[in-house]
Amino acid sequence: MNQPDAITALYCRLSQEDALDGDSNSIINQKAILSKYASDNNYPSPKFYIDDGWSGTNFDRASFKEMIQDIEHRKVKSLIVNHISR
């Protein structure tokens, strides 16, 4: 059962390849987009999970693992990402 104070997970990831694309894929830009979306759509208690410089080819990423653990413990009500590849 979800707790009434469940958080909204906002996941950001920047791979080394993404860094070549410049500011449009930056962690700062992703955070701004996700924060605005969560606020504009009344998602409660946002919490960022950020993996900077990690490849998406595996799930051995510190913040990703923490987020999955929080989901499994039913601390997360919603998950928002900037792009499906995240």
Side-chain angles (χ1 to χ4, degrees):
M1 173 183 282
N2 281 338
Q3 299 173 4
D5 59 345
I7 62 174
T8 300
L10 306 176
Y11 185 68
C12 303
R13 181 182 61 81
L14 186 69
S15 71
Q16 291 179 347
E17 293 82 21
D18 289 336
L20 300 175
D21 291 337
D23 289 340
S24 65
N25 277 329
S26 75
I27 292 295
I28 293 169
N29 189 53
Q30 289 180 50
K31 286 177 70 175
I33 291 168
L34 296 176
S35 185
K36 181 174 180 357
Y37 184 86
S39 177
D40 288 353
N41 292 282
N42 300 313
Y43 282 95
S45 306
K47 178 181 177 181
F48 283 100
Y49 298 86
I50 300 170
D51 287 315
D52 194 354
W54 292 83
S55 171
T57 59
N58 66 60
F59 296 110
D60 189 24
R61 295 173 252 150
S63 285
F64 185 82
K65 287 178 175 181
E66 178 188 358
M67 181 181 69
I68 294 301
Q69 185 175 30
D70 285 350
I71 290 169
E72 289 171 346
H73 288 112
R74 301 192 186 276
K75 294 179 182 178
V76 174
K77 183 174 184 178
S78 302
L79 167 61
I80 304 172
V81 297
N82 183 44
H83 191 276
I84 197 67
S85 68
R86 302 292 166 233

